[in-house]
Amino acid sequence: PPIVVTTLPLVADLVGTFPAARWVYYCVDDFGVWPGLDGRTLRNMEAELVAKVDSAIAVSETLQTHLAKLGKPSRLLTHGVDLEHFQSASRESGSGSLFWGVIDRRMDVSFLRALDMPTRLIGPQDNPDPELFRLPHVEVKPAVGYADLPELASSAGALIMPYADLPVTRAMQPLKLKEYLATGKPVVVRKLPATESWSDCCDVCDTPESFAAAVKLRLSEGVPASQIAARERLTSESWAAKAEQFEAWIS
């Protein structure tokens, strides 16, 4: 029988009915607080799932704490990065600031308003704050393919993560953080549990004013030598290494 791995609580009622050697919950987000989803239903289904699975793996310490409150210990496996892919980005100076990813209510409009410079938000939209579209310096564009992200990064002066400080963002571990860092470009992010541990590699800010000031500084001065040196630890964050660890744990 196969080992079944799920990242979604929606399959809670399948545990025990589908033939499996064991069930593993790979917890990648707290869907109970995700914008636009039925939080109460997802919380109930997750509680049911967690009680049934044989083991759990979480992508952040916040999610480990969340699972512990549901009575399930878990192992920590943070997201990886395809270094070769993202290191192909040109490190020549681009222009303006850039975000790629889902554009939704996790975006902090006050951080984007404070930037007051050409800013592109690129990705699928999921009911974003209408105020985003009223900011004259912000351009919202559709998603591009994964293969095109290094070229997209090359066109930017700084890569940004203007997330709001919310329960959902405190629980997540953004894939794009390590991708941004691997490009060699200046990176400015919101202070969150997932970003604080990388504060030696990028600028981590907790107010709109400090966020805007950091972006302007990086556009004029580039990535400091200390951040370039600190990013060397990305070499141990490959997806291949993560997959090997994941396989060892579930097997």
Side-chain angles (χ1 to χ4, degrees), residues 107-115 135 190 207-209 211:
M107 298 286 99
D108 193 321
V109 175
S110 66
F111 274 54
L112 290 164
R113 185 184 298 111
L115 282 178
L135 300 176
R190 176 65 179 263
T207 66
E209 295 75 20
F211 187 83

Side-chain angles (χ1 to χ4, degrees), residues 1-32:
I3 297 170
V4 180
V5 179
T6 180
T7 61
L8 296 171
L10 301 176
V11 299
D13 56 347
L14 294 181
V15 183
T17 63
F18 183 86
R22 68 180 64 89
W23 281 79
V24 180
Y25 181 32
Y26 183 26
C27 185
V28 297
D29 276 302
D30 185 351
F31 294 106

